[in-house]
Structures are given as structure tokens and as C-alpha cells.
Amino acid sequence: DQDAGAIKYYHTDNSLNFTTNGSSTERLIIKSTGNVEITNDLDVDGHTNLDNVSIAGVSTFSDHIHLKADSKHLYIGASDDFSIQHNGTNTFLRNGEGQIFIQDDQGVNITNAASNKSSANFYPNDGVYLYFNGNQKLRTTNTGVTVTGTVVATGADINGDIDVDGHTNLDNVSI
């Protein structure tokens, strides 16, 4: 046994153990296998290079998380059921089990990278809006669909009413 002020350390056959002076609680254990056990928090300032980290419990991050390699996956689920991957050009979301649900009380908006042109908006209790080049072309309503612009129906069957306001040009109509 050795005493270094507030830290006491001793050696056993298989490890080097450190305790706080006056306590028998081991704070740091260095095993003969090279494994290290720390009984409380580990506070690291600066860059830390860790290979093969296994975390059992909750991890909390207070800043960005960077995965700095193309064509690698972020897996979620006990059997890697869901993955996110970026191959350097495109991004892929893959779901191998069940369905994907996007839940939001305010709505979901899909836009371009600059967020100045919508592609699609989905609002609870208000409808779905589809856009072309940022211009609304289709909107669902509680009574059907509102279309802005030209409707092209090639070989399509339309069940229900069509209410057209404005000029209508119909070719080959079968009633």
C-alpha cells in the first residue's frame, strides 16, 4: 500500500487499485489485462481517440455529432432495423421492419436546401400541398382536391365529380 496525499493506491495480483484517502471505495482500477475501470464520471478535455466504444446506458450530447465517413451507416434498432447512410452523393433512409411514421403536431415541410421553395407540405387537419418549382399545384381539402394549373390525365380513371372553373379543353371524351 502506498499513500500519495489524498490518493491511496495498492497492488493486488491482478490489478492496481486507487482509492481516495480515508475511503475503501475504489475509484480507478487498472487490470493486468489492460482494462481500466472508473467508478465515477470521466471528464476529458481536448481530443480523445477511442476505438470500439460500447456504451450501456443513456448518452447525452450538448453539441453536434459528426460521422465523418462516406458510405457508412448509422443503425437503429436491435437488429439494425433502420439505417441512415450518405454515400458522398446521395442520402438513404432504409427501414427493414414495420412502417416509418413521421409525427408532428404542426406539420411536415419538404423544401429545397435554401428553404425558399416548397416541394410538399403536410398539415394535420388542413391537407397536403404539392408544389412544382415552389408553386402550389395540388391541395387536398375535406371535400376533395384543388388543382392549380393544367390537369393531364392519360389513361386515368376519375371516380367522383370534377368541378372546373375556367376554360376546359377536352379531347376524346367518353360519357
Side-chain angles (χ1 to χ4, degrees):
D1 287 6
Q2 296 292 324
D3 189 342
I7 303 292
K8 180 179 179 183
Y9 61 96
Y10 60 94
H11 181 275
T12 64
D13 290 339
N14 295 318
S15 64
L16 178 60
N17 303 319
F18 293 84
T19 64
T20 54
N21 203 7
S23 171
S24 62
T25 303
E26 295 172 329
R27 303 295 182 196
L28 173 70
I29 303 167
I30 302 173
K31 303 273 186 172
S32 62
T33 60
N35 293 340
V36 176
E37 295 178 14
I38 300 173
T39 58
N40 286 324
D41 294 342
L42 174 63
D43 184 6
V44 178
D45 294 324
H47 177 78
T48 304
N49 187 3
L50 302 172
D51 299 326
N52 301 318
V53 177
S54 177
I55 299 171
V58 175
S59 298
T60 303
F61 301 90
S62 61
D63 206 339
H64 300 286
I65 298 173
H66 296 269
L67 303 176
K68 294 279 194 169
D70 288 335
S71 298
K72 300 295 181 186
H73 290 81
L74 171 63
Y75 291 106
I76 301 170
S79 299
D80 298 339
D81 300 322
F82 181 73
S83 70
I84 301 171
Q85 177 202 18
H86 183 75
N87 67 7
T89 304
N90 299 303
T91 301
F92 301 89
L93 303 177
R94 182 188 168 278
N95 185 42
E97 186 69 32
Q99 300 177 35
I100 296 176
F101 292 89
I102 300 173
Q103 298 177 337
D104 187 280
D105 292 337
Q106 302 301 312
V108 175
N109 299 308
I110 301 173
T111 67
N112 64 346
S115 292
N116 61 6
K117 289 185 180 180
S118 291
S119 294
N121 299 327
F122 306 86
Y123 298 114
N125 303 317
D126 185 37
V128 174
Y129 299 75
L130 299 179
Y131 298 81
F132 177 81
N133 197 24
N135 297 305
Q136 182 182 315
K137 296 299 176 185
L138 186 135
R139 175 182 177 213
T140 62
T141 67
N142 64 338
T143 58
V145 176
T146 302
V147 177
T148 305
T150 304
V151 176
V152 178
T154 305
D157 291 330
I158 298 175
N159 297 315
D161 297 333
I162 298 177
D163 183 7
V164 179
D165 294 327
H167 176 75
T168 304
N169 185 5
L170 303 173
D171 295 320
N172 300 319
V173 177
S174 176
I175 299 177

